[in-house]
Amino acid sequence: MSIPKWKIKGIVDDYDECGCCGRRGLRRTVALMPLDADGNEDGTAEDVVYYGTSCAATALGWTQREVSATARAAQSEQDERDAYARRVISIYAPVEFAPVRDMARVYYGRNASRRDTGVKATEEVAKLLAQARATLADTTTGPARPSGIEDFRRYVVIFTHDRQIHLIRRVPEDEFKRQEQAASAHRRADEIGGSVLVVAALDAQAAHDVAYADELTREWNAKAWQAAHV
Ligand SMILES: [Zn+2]
């Protein structure tokens, strides 16, 4: 078997034109990254081509069904990397410019095994944030995704009496609806003997992480949201 010339990176809904035969009006295209003779990715997002499923199948010598399945799997991996990046940013971006002591407490609080190993919290946090931002800025299978603190949204979190998340909801922009939601969240928390917390994050999944994080992480989270919305 010869080494394939392309690697399928994902599914793209934004391009409806096949970069191979020029056919238009496709429901989606497949993002293909060129590979070098050793099968390594040979390029950046700018070198990626977008083919319809049938041209991608011809280029790879695969069936269309294989192309579709591989593209779906690649896209779901990309989506998982994005979700992880949003969690990293939601936790660490607010402490990026915090005093080193606070940053270290937040980092080692989540990575206890790294304590006293010579791993520097400041460097690790910078590395994690740089990777996460690069992931969300990657345009191989679609436009860049929001990644800044200014892109955080607020979520109301209801905890049970034993500090498990009972419910998590996006806080509405509208002031009246926001108050209504806060009142009903407190009523619900009272009913179950729980409590209410508001956190800021890039999405609901990341809001989970922030809600379960230590107090210092949540303090910086609240500060960051306020600073971005004065
Ligand atoms: Zn084509």
Side-chain angles (χ1 to χ4, degrees):
M1 216 178 95
S2 66
I3 293 167
K5 289 195 184 77
W6 305 98
K7 181 181 176 187
I8 295 178
K9 298 291 283 183
I11 301 166
V12 185
D13 300 319
D14 300 352
Y15 299 103
D16 69 344
E17 183 178 347
C18 176
C20 178
C21 66
R23 204 175 131 200
R24 286 171 178 275
L26 300 169
R27 259 190 306 152
R28 64 185 68 89
T29 49
V30 175
L32 296 168
M33 173 73 83
L35 299 178
D36 66 18
D38 299 319
N40 302 309
E41 290 192 17
D42 188 21
T44 63
E46 284 168 24
D47 302 300
V48 167
V49 299
Y50 302 91
Y51 285 8
T53 320
S54 94
C55 284
T58 306
L60 284 157
W62 293 3
T63 66
Q64 286 196 43
R65 188 193 292 261
E66 285 168 331
V67 167
S68 297
T70 306
R72 266 199 306 276
Q75 190 57 48
S76 94
E77 271 171 37
Q78 172 69 49
D79 293 344
E80 269 170 43
R81 281 194 296 272
D82 281 4
Y84 176 72
R86 281 191 281 270
R87 291 164 60 194
V88 165
I89 289 171
S90 299
I91 290 285
Y92 291 117
V95 294
E96 190 173 14
F97 303 108
V100 172
R101 196 168 157 268
D102 281 9
M103 196 199 280
R105 276 175 62 194
V106 165
Y107 178 76
Y108 295 124
R110 309 182 70 79
N111 301 276
S113 63
R114 294 269 172 107
R115 208 186 285 267
D116 305 321
T117 58
V119 168
K120 281 212 179 88
T122 46
E123 285 169 16
E124 290 306 302
V125 169
K127 218 188 293 172
L128 284 166
L129 285 172
Q131 279 165 0
R133 285 168 181 148
T135 297
L136 295 173
D138 184 282
T139 54
T140 305
T141 66
R145 278 78 64 210
S147 63
I149 287 177
E150 68 280 6
D151 301 309
F152 282 16
R153 299 286 173 261
R154 282 192 303 176
Y155 294 84
V156 64
V157 184
I158 304 177
F159 283 103
T160 59
H161 66 281
D162 54 354
R163 290 294 282 183
Q164 297 300 304
I165 291 176
H166 170 67
L167 190 139
I168 192 155
R169 287 270 186 279
R170 170 97 179 261
V171 173
E173 306 287 336
D174 178 76
E175 179 64 16
F176 176 74
K177 284 188 189 147
R178 194 184 63 73
Q179 283 179 16
E180 216 174 30
Q181 184 192 55
S184 95
H186 281 99
R187 267 199 310 277
R188 184 71 190 126
D190 285 347
E191 281 167 18
I192 62 170
S195 58
V196 175
L197 181 72
V198 174
V199 298
L202 284 173
D203 66 6
Q205 203 185 340
H208 255 84
D209 284 33
V210 178
Y212 278 134
D214 60 287
E215 209 170 305
L216 187 64
T217 303
R218 283 187 278 112
E219 254 172 52
W220 279 101
N221 180 271
K223 270 187 218 172
W225 197 87
Q226 276 157 13
H229 292 88
V230 277

